[in-house]
Amino acid sequence: MSDMSSRALLEALIRFATVSRDSNLDMIAFIRDYLAQYGVESELFYNDERTKANLFATIGPRDRGGIVLSGHTDVVPVDGQAWTVEPFRLSEREGRLYGRGTADMKGFIASVLAAVPQFVARELKLPVHLAFSYDEEVGCLGVRPMLAELEKRPHKPVLCIIGEPTELKPVLGHKGKLAMRCHVKGAPCHSAYAPYGVNAIQYAARLVTRLETIGEQLAQPQHHDARFDPPYSTVQTGMIKGGRALNIVPEQCEFDFEVRALPGFDAHTVADALRTYAEAELLPKMRAVQRETDIRLQALSAYPGLVTPPESEAARLLAGLCGSSDFGTVAFGSEGGLFDQAGIPAVVCGPGSMDQGHKPDEFVSVEQLHACDAMLARLAGHLATAGLFQ
């Protein structure tokens, strides 16, 4: 059996169109079969419909914690994007490897799989765990049942490296996220008699404006944390729909908003403030016209922020692996906060840049992929000797 390079493995992984709305089982089966060739067993954690699965595998001793190498298998859609290359077929141009997921984050998974022969060949004193999840792109949903199982086990890993693209710079923190949907139910009538109806769009607009005000309050200097960019929690309305025709006072309107919260700030306070405003200021006016009107908030998804102390063992391990203690933060989220909540300290470090993620003609450079290969080779060497970074 000849070992596969990270480039060859990335080419194979990109062919799986694992958009979050679709199944990832074909890719998971490929990884499971690949690991089996090296005698590595895989555990699968399925969703309720058994259309998607997480994969967890261990290389090395099972009577101690170890280090988790974690990546998500799902990618964002390519619909409506102006790609100049086939998104689900790897192509190379001027030292760049193009395809959906090359940066976010199949490049890291490919490097991890390419390192498997090294991990297997060495007698590791500390194990390596591979954790590949589904539905990260829609709110870090899929990894949760796998983490719930890992929490029950006696030997917890000492560190989880989330391989999101950071150009292989060591990252210790990111913001959390809360995604919400607001449903406004008004009372329809002919637009000629608009004052006798309850315009759901207009009341939704007041709620959106209130969110903007809350966001301005969060941006005040006393709430800043200079480690992050932007240095404060943000509120953003991203989608809105409502109404049937211009001459009908709209009965329904809904909009989606998100809070990107600094670690330590409870994003639900924003939703609570909006709910209080709706109940105190808007609903009495609406129900004075029609009692059946309503405003309802629905949680869509949430994940916690991450802030790993720079003096922690996890940070020291990452610094030894990267050769740098110039720790940073990133604006995007990851599954790291969920690992941390499960008692597994997490850091973020992977090949490529999120500047390329989610865009047409997404790419990772060949140089970054090779640098990730080298980083994982150093990890194998460390775990086979002292098992810790000195």
Side-chain angles (χ1 to χ4, degrees):
M1 175 178 58
S2 59
D3 298 338
M4 296 179 69
S5 68
S6 56
R7 188 198 185 285
L9 284 160
L10 181 57
E11 183 172 14
L13 297 178
I14 294 301
R15 290 185 178 274
F16 297 106
T18 51
V19 177
S20 303
R21 66 190 174 215
D22 301 319
S23 174
N24 74 334
L25 291 183
D26 288 344
M27 179 172 165
I28 289 294
F30 171 84
I31 295 173
R32 178 198 61 204
D33 294 345
Y34 172 85
L35 294 175
Q37 295 178 72
Y38 296 95
V40 179
E41 296 182 358
S42 299
E43 296 179 77
L44 302 187
F45 300 87
Y46 290 91
N47 64 350
D48 291 341
E49 298 78 20
R50 297 187 70 83
T51 57
K52 301 178 182 181
N54 302 302
L55 182 146
F56 187 81
T58 298
I59 303 171
R62 295 176 179 269
D63 60 348
R64 61 202 71 177
I67 292 180
V68 179
L69 301 176
S70 175
H72 62 82
T73 61
D74 61 319
V75 298
V76 297
V78 300
D79 310 58
Q81 293 187 336
W83 285 73
T84 64
V85 296
E86 169 57 47
F88 295 109
R89 186 177 65 190
L90 193 71
S91 55
E92 183 173 354
R93 186 170 66 233
E94 298 179 349
R96 296 174 173 178
L97 300 172
Y98 291 87
R100 173 55 87 222
T102 47
D104 185 21
M105 55 181 294
K106 292 181 179 179
F108 178 73
I109 295 176
S111 282
V112 170
L113 295 178
V116 165
Q118 298 179 62
F119 291 132
V120 170
R122 295 174 177 265
E123 293 186 9
L124 302 184
K125 292 181 170 57
L126 197 67
V128 169
H129 309 284
L130 313 185
F132 303 136
S133 65
Y134 65 88
D135 281 1
E136 188 272 350
E137 295 288 6
V138 289
C140 298
L141 302 178
V143 73
R144 298 169 196 250
M146 178 167 60
L147 286 175
E149 175 60 31
L150 296 183
E151 281 191 89
K152 302 174 186 176
R153 300 187 177 180
H155 304 290
K156 286 190 177 180
V158 297
L159 171 66
C160 174
I161 299 175
I162 308 287
E164 294 279 6
T166 68
E167 296 181 314
L168 295 172
K169 297 173 182 176
V171 166
L172 300 185
H174 61 70
K175 294 178 181 178
K177 178 182 173 180
L178 172 66
M180 301 287 297
R181 177 166 294 159
C182 180
H183 302 266
V184 181
K185 180 184 179 183
C189 68
H190 194 291
S191 62
Y193 303 97
Y196 303 127
V198 177
N199 190 311
I201 291 177
Q202 289 181 351
Y203 277 96
R206 296 186 190 185
L207 291 161
V208 171
T209 300
R210 189 68 173 189
L211 284 172
E212 183 181 12
T213 300
I214 294 171
E216 290 171 351
Q217 294 168 349
L218 293 176
Q220 294 300 307
Q222 63 267 31
H223 302 304
H224 284 200
D225 185 333
R227 295 173 297 177
F228 294 86
D229 181 22
Y232 47 84
S233 301
T234 59
V235 184
Q236 191 256 155
T237 302
M239 296 180 64
I240 188 167
K241 62 181 179 180
R244 293 182 176 273
L246 184 58
N247 61 353
I248 302 174
V249 171
E251 180 181 15
Q252 301 286 344
C253 185
E254 67 179 35
F255 62 89
D256 295 353
F257 68 93
E258 68 170 22
V259 184
R260 298 277 180 165
L262 291 171
F265 174 70
D266 184 359
H268 289 88
T269 61
V270 173
D272 292 342
L274 190 67
R275 186 179 292 107
T276 297
Y277 170 71
E279 292 174 352
E281 300 291 336
L282 302 186
L283 281 173
K285 296 176 182 178
M286 295 167 64
R287 288 173 176 169
V289 178
Q290 172 60 258
R291 289 183 57 84
E292 286 71 28
T293 55
D294 197 16
I295 295 172
R296 181 169 56 87
L297 295 181
Q298 173 192 358
L300 299 178
S301 64
Y303 57 76
L306 174 69
V307 57
T308 299
E311 66 277 8
S312 65
E313 182 183 28
R316 184 168 64 86
L317 290 173
L318 182 63
L321 188 59
C322 295
S324 171
S325 58
D326 185 15
F327 301 120
T329 64
V330 289
F332 58 86
S334 80
E335 296 167 337
L338 292 169
F339 274 91
D340 191 63
Q341 280 190 346
I344 303 171
V347 295
V348 186
C349 184
S353 169
M354 194 56 87
D355 287 345
Q356 313 307 325
H358 298 199
K359 294 181 180 179
D361 291 352
E362 178 182 350
F363 71 85
V364 66
S365 71
V366 173
E367 180 182 14
Q368 280 280 296
L369 201 62
H370 288 168
C372 188
D373 293 342
M375 181 182 75
L376 294 174
R378 290 195 296 275
L379 175 62
H382 279 294
L383 299 183
T385 53
L388 294 172
F389 296 103
Q390 303 300 326

